[in-house]
Amino acid sequence: MQMLRADDLTSTYGEKTLFDHISFLIKEHDRIGLIGVNGSGKTSLLNVISGHTSAEEGNIDHPHDYTIGYLEQQPPLDPEKRIIDAVLAGGQPLFRLIRQYENLVGNFSGTTEENDRLAVLQRQMDQQDAWEVQSRVETVLTQLKIKDMGVKIGEMSGGQQKRVGLAQVLIQQPDLLLLDEPTNQLDIDSIVWLQDYLAKYRGAVMIVTHDRYFLDQVANQIWELSFGKLYKYDGNYQDYVAEKAAREERETTAEHKRQQLYKHELAWMKKGAKARSTKQKGRINRFHELSQTVGTLRTEDKLDIGLGSTRLGHDVLELKDASLKVGSHNIFQHFNLLIEAGERLGISGNNGAGKSSLLNVLAGRLPLDGGTLKVGETVKIGYYTQQTEPIDEDKRVINYLSEVAETIYDDQGQKISVTQLLERFLFPRFMHGTLIRKLSGGEKRRLYLLKILMQQPNVLLLDEPTNDLDISTLTVLEDYLDHFAGTVITVSHDRYFLDKVADQLLIFQGNGQIQPATGLFTDYLKNAADQLSRQRKPQQKTKQKQAKLQSTKAAKHKLTYKEQVEWRGLEPAIEKLDQRSSELNDEMAANGDNYEKLAELQKELDEVNAENDRKMARWEYLSQFVDDDKI
């Protein structure tokens, strides 16, 4: 069994200790969710494990042939490389072969020389069984919504580059996958596919993410960094919540007992205890040991957002017959939307479909091509954008907020100074004079959120708030929004967060299609999945016809005997999976009040659908090269 061992790792950043003599073991099939407040050192720990940086103390050991794949928050990709070259950037001979084949097919003009070269590459692909790897590459790219493999990295958005970086590390299939916020920039379909993929991954996985549903589906361990210590919990996120509460209760009880004992022993010492006997010497020594440990228990402060907001009238925001295009993309046409006081609207859907554009319209930052936007007279908008506003990195934390106001009022009408507010938002006093450039990315986002809330808006626009805020902050933000007197409009793919903060939904489906829905986001997704399952069979027949038509245009290679046998068996296997999917749906309908049974059936259904998707992707790929007269 392949393992990675770390002993006594220690690392600091300025006055902050990120991890203090922590040790751990990562084994094959471990699925570790690494969590902690922003700035606690999660990314720093991934950098040390991956070898990108070194700890100040301690060491990491693993077998010589042990491989580590690391998805950074901003993957370092060559802007001049095409997608296929970036994804297959490894030095493995098999990757080099596939790159050569893809480059030739992508620029194929049909010359004799090219045909000869193609035949040679096809034989080499057959000999090395490279078609299976290429099929895996195409499946991963398709699931991550990466279509044109000839595009250069430098021509892509940051979110698209993040997906290319994710595809790169998944295709390499290392012994250990380190993933820093892998679900950021993914739409819900890709998130669900990724969680299924990782749940079945053959190696070990360590994930930093704020997506709690994702952690529930993938993780079998939760590791938490807190005040330089590493706490380990078995199970998923829900198990962690219960176990952490129990641990903190035990530690608080033990600390209370230490303090009571300390008071008792201190009184004895003040009476003038003298080491006249061995017993008294031992008691004095134990007192000095106790004095070193009492009062050292540190617990995370709870973020307190109790800020006030200005009064909001009945009229809030209204779009009438609104139309918008961004470039050549149609965002919406003749669209009507009425947003009322106190409404909780969640917006989700396909990437690039225009969700952020709608927020920019509502915020008055993007003009409509047609129609009107009506804004109520009492509306005061606070807009938390995906990108933090430009900040002078050499400005100090307290000065950044003092520009908004020296004091504000909380939800009880009490004055709060900027210093008090920073402490409420988990910025201790020693950080108030810190230069902003020394903050972690997550700490900057928390500071940015605080500045917006200081302005005491009554309409909040939140664009992907779960991308950069830690779980502790999100939990308190959810509670704040639950009690917020104004209107909240949130763009997110985070199922847990949307379930907490939204009861009305807009689902952007692309090409100007926007579907309204009411209720929980997870209920919407389940209903959509059920509908898709019912439509699967006719869709599969259409895909089969399309694949056969496209096969005449594709650069062909001769199927190996092994591939011919595989192709013949795929259709019966897909039919069997379709039948099992229908049976499971029927069983779920018959067990509507048996939640334990429903959970088992849902798990099997997810596995069946995932296997069906894999086989369909393989069938479509092989179909391009099938000669119907011979197969």
Side-chain angles (χ1 to χ4, degrees):
M1 178 183 289
Q2 297 276 61
M3 293 185 293
L4 179 145
R5 179 185 297 276
D7 295 303
D8 290 326
L9 296 182
T10 298
S11 185
T12 60
Y13 182 73
E15 297 182 41
K16 185 186 298 182
T17 298
L18 300 178
F19 30 97
D20 181 15
H21 294 93
I22 64 172
S23 300
F24 52 84
L25 183 68
I26 300 176
K27 304 186 295 296
E28 194 174 13
H29 305 306
D30 279 350
R31 302 286 183 271
I32 301 162
L34 179 61
I35 67 176
V37 300
N38 290 334
S40 61
K42 302 184 295 295
T43 296
S44 297
L45 181 56
L46 295 189
N47 285 333
V48 169
I49 295 173
S50 67
H52 281 46
T53 59
S54 299
E56 292 159 26
E57 295 181 40
N59 58 80
I60 294 177
D61 294 312
H62 53 70
H64 178 69
D65 59 348
Y66 193 83
T67 55
I68 299 174
Y70 182 20
L71 172 69
E72 300 179 55
Q73 287 194 27
Q74 296 180 328
L77 302 172
D78 185 342
E80 294 302 316
K81 280 189 175 180
R82 299 183 310 139
I83 290 175
I84 186 62
D85 297 322
V87 168
L88 296 171
Q92 299 94 322
L94 192 57
F95 281 11
R96 287 200 298 269
L97 174 60
I98 296 174
R99 286 200 300 269
Q100 292 172 12
Y101 174 80
E102 286 290 344
N103 283 328
L104 181 57
V105 171
N107 300 294
F108 193 75
S109 60
T111 66
T112 301
E113 182 180 351
E114 286 178 332
N115 275 305
D116 292 343
R117 178 60 178 156
L118 184 62
V120 171
L121 290 175
Q122 287 172 346
R123 284 197 298 273
Q124 293 176 345
M125 296 274 282
D126 286 339
Q127 292 165 0
Q128 299 186 41
D129 203 18
W131 303 111
E132 181 181 348
V133 176
Q134 189 190 35
S135 176
R136 187 170 75 242
V137 169
E138 294 182 358
T139 297
V140 169
L141 292 176
T142 298
Q143 295 292 348
L144 296 178
K145 310 295 175 68
I146 302 170
K147 298 176 181 178
D148 187 353
M149 293 189 288
V151 173
K152 284 188 176 181
I153 297 297
E155 299 171 1
M156 306 178 76
S157 68
Q160 291 170 325
Q161 291 185 28
K162 181 72 178 277
R163 282 181 273 147
V164 171
L166 177 57
Q168 185 185 68
V169 297
L170 293 181
I171 287 161
Q172 291 172 359
Q173 294 194 316
D175 297 302
L176 172 61
L177 269 173
L178 302 175
L179 305 177
D180 199 350
E181 299 294 354
T183 62
N184 286 4
Q185 313 298 339
L186 296 186
D187 58 28
I188 191 62
D189 293 339
S190 297
I191 291 173
V192 172
W193 172 82
L194 180 61
Q195 71 185 27
D196 292 339
Y197 181 94
L198 295 179
K200 300 179 179 73
Y201 189 70
R202 63 169 180 80
V205 181
M206 179 179 282
I207 314 160
V208 172
T209 182
H210 305 140
D211 189 324
R212 287 153 287 181
Y213 277 154
F214 189 83
L215 285 175
D216 271 340
Q217 295 298 317
V218 174
N220 56 26
Q221 297 179 54
I222 300 292
W223 292 5
E224 181 182 25
L225 271 175
S226 179
F227 298 112
K229 302 300 181 184
L230 184 65
Y231 299 93
K232 303 168 193 172
Y233 305 86
D234 289 331
N236 61 13
Y237 178 74
Q238 293 297 329
D239 298 321
Y240 151 78
V241 171
E243 286 298 314
K244 179 181 179 179
R247 174 182 68 81
E248 289 182 336
E249 184 176 354
R250 290 193 301 270
E251 290 180 345
T252 301
T253 300
E255 173 65 14
H256 178 70
K257 290 180 178 178
R258 281 196 298 270
Q259 290 178 351
Q260 294 299 108
L261 179 59
Y262 178 76
K263 289 178 182 178
H264 179 74
E265 294 299 288
L266 180 60
W268 179 73
M269 290 289 291
K270 286 180 175 179
K271 289 179 181 178
K274 297 180 181 179
R276 293 174 177 169
S277 66
T278 302
K279 186 175 181 179
Q280 286 178 316
K281 287 180 182 177
R283 186 171 179 179
I284 292 171
N285 289 336
R286 285 194 297 273
F287 169 78
H288 290 304
E289 291 173 0
L290 181 62
S291 65
Q292 297 298 314
T293 60
V294 71
T296 59
L297 176 64
R298 298 180 70 182
T299 57
E300 292 174 1
D301 294 327
K302 304 302 181 186
L303 183 64
D304 182 2
I305 302 186
L307 301 179
S309 61
T310 53
R311 186 189 69 84
L312 180 63
H314 182 268
D315 295 330
V316 182
L317 297 167
E318 184 176 10
L319 288 173
K320 284 187 177 181
D321 197 33
S323 297
L324 178 69
K325 270 191 174 183
V326 176
S328 60
H329 296 288
N330 181 28
I331 307 303
F332 45 77
Q333 280 188 319
H334 307 296
F335 179 58
N336 295 297
L337 177 65
L338 177 63
I339 298 171
E340 299 179 325
E343 187 162 331
R344 299 293 187 266
L345 178 64
I347 303 173
S348 194
N350 295 334
N351 284 331
K355 302 182 297 295
S356 296
S357 296
L358 175 58
L359 290 193
N360 284 331
V361 167
L362 296 177
R365 299 187 179 187
L366 183 62
L368 291 168
D369 296 326
T372 59
L373 167 66
K374 181 183 177 183
V375 180
E377 291 183 2
T378 60
V379 167
K380 185 176 182 181
I381 291 176
Y383 189 7
Y384 181 86
T385 57
Q386 280 198 51
Q387 302 298 323
T388 305
E389 65 182 8
I391 301 175
D392 182 354
E393 294 280 290
D394 290 320
K395 187 172 289 185
R396 301 192 183 278
V397 168
I398 194 164
N399 294 336
Y400 174 67
L401 294 184
S402 296
E403 292 173 355
V404 179
E406 291 293 339
T407 59
I408 62 169
Y409 293 89
D410 65 14
D411 51 3
Q412 303 300 316
Q414 301 296 316
K415 281 187 177 182
I416 315 172
S417 68
V418 172
T419 299
Q420 292 171 318
L421 198 57
L422 280 168
E423 290 179 335
R424 283 190 177 193
F425 262 65
L426 307 186
F427 290 102
R429 283 183 180 264
F430 76 83
M431 291 185 68
H432 295 184
T434 300
L435 298 177
I436 289 175
R437 60 181 165 81
K438 292 187 177 182
L439 300 180
S440 71
E443 287 171 329
K444 290 177 184 177
R445 294 294 283 172
R446 190 178 347 128
L447 187 66
Y448 176 51
L449 174 63
L450 175 53
K451 181 175 181 179
I452 291 168
L453 296 181
M454 277 183 67
Q455 298 165 19
Q456 301 191 299
N458 51 30
V459 175
L460 274 173
L461 307 181
L462 305 174
D463 197 355
E464 298 287 3
T466 64
N467 277 0
D468 301 290
L469 300 177
D470 57 67
I471 290 175
S472 297
T473 304
L474 288 174
T475 301
V476 179
L477 178 60
E478 288 160 0
D479 182 65
Y480 170 77
L481 295 178
D482 188 44
H483 295 90
F484 181 63
T487 294
V488 181
I489 305 170
T490 305
V491 168
S492 182
H493 293 120
D494 189 311
R495 295 158 289 179
Y496 194 103
F497 187 75
L498 281 181
D499 278 356
K500 288 282 189 179
V501 305
D503 50 26
Q504 300 293 321
L505 302 169
L506 287 179
I507 308 300
F508 277 63
Q509 299 172 324
N511 298 319
Q513 300 299 311
I514 303 174
Q515 179 183 351
T518 300
L520 295 179
F521 185 48
T522 48
D523 288 341
Y524 165 82
L525 292 174
K526 184 180 184 306
N527 292 333
D530 291 343
Q531 184 177 358
L532 181 63
S533 179
R534 290 191 293 271
Q535 296 173 348
R536 187 175 295 276
K537 282 190 178 181
Q539 286 178 345
Q540 286 174 353
K541 290 179 180 178
T542 302
K543 286 181 179 179
Q544 291 169 6
K545 291 178 182 178
Q546 290 173 345
K548 287 183 179 180
L549 288 172
Q550 291 170 356
S551 67
T552 60
K553 301 178 183 178
K556 291 204 172 196
H557 80 279
K558 183 179 178 182
L559 291 183
T560 64
Y561 176 74
K562 179 181 176 182
E563 288 173 327
Q564 294 176 24
V565 172
E566 179 189 4
W567 189 83
R568 292 191 194 100
L570 283 172
E571 286 196 34
I574 290 169
E575 289 180 7
K576 184 179 288 188
L577 288 167
D578 281 336
Q579 181 179 351
R580 181 55 184 155
S581 178
S582 297
E583 292 171 354
L584 287 168
N585 279 311
D586 291 342
E587 289 183 52
M588 290 177 72
N591 289 273
D593 56 351
N594 186 338
Y595 297 108
E596 185 174 347
K597 181 68 173 176
L598 278 174
E600 294 174 2
L601 292 171
Q602 183 64 55
K603 182 179 179 182
E604 184 180 353
L605 179 62
D606 291 342
E607 292 172 353
V608 167
N609 288 337
E611 180 66 17
N612 201 335
D613 289 341
R614 283 194 294 272
K615 289 191 180 298
M616 274 302 303
R618 184 62 174 161
W619 187 96
E620 290 175 16
Y621 173 72
L622 292 177
S623 295
Q624 300 177 75
F625 311 109
V626 170
D627 186 338
D628 291 328
D629 295 331
K630 296 181 180 180
I631 300 289

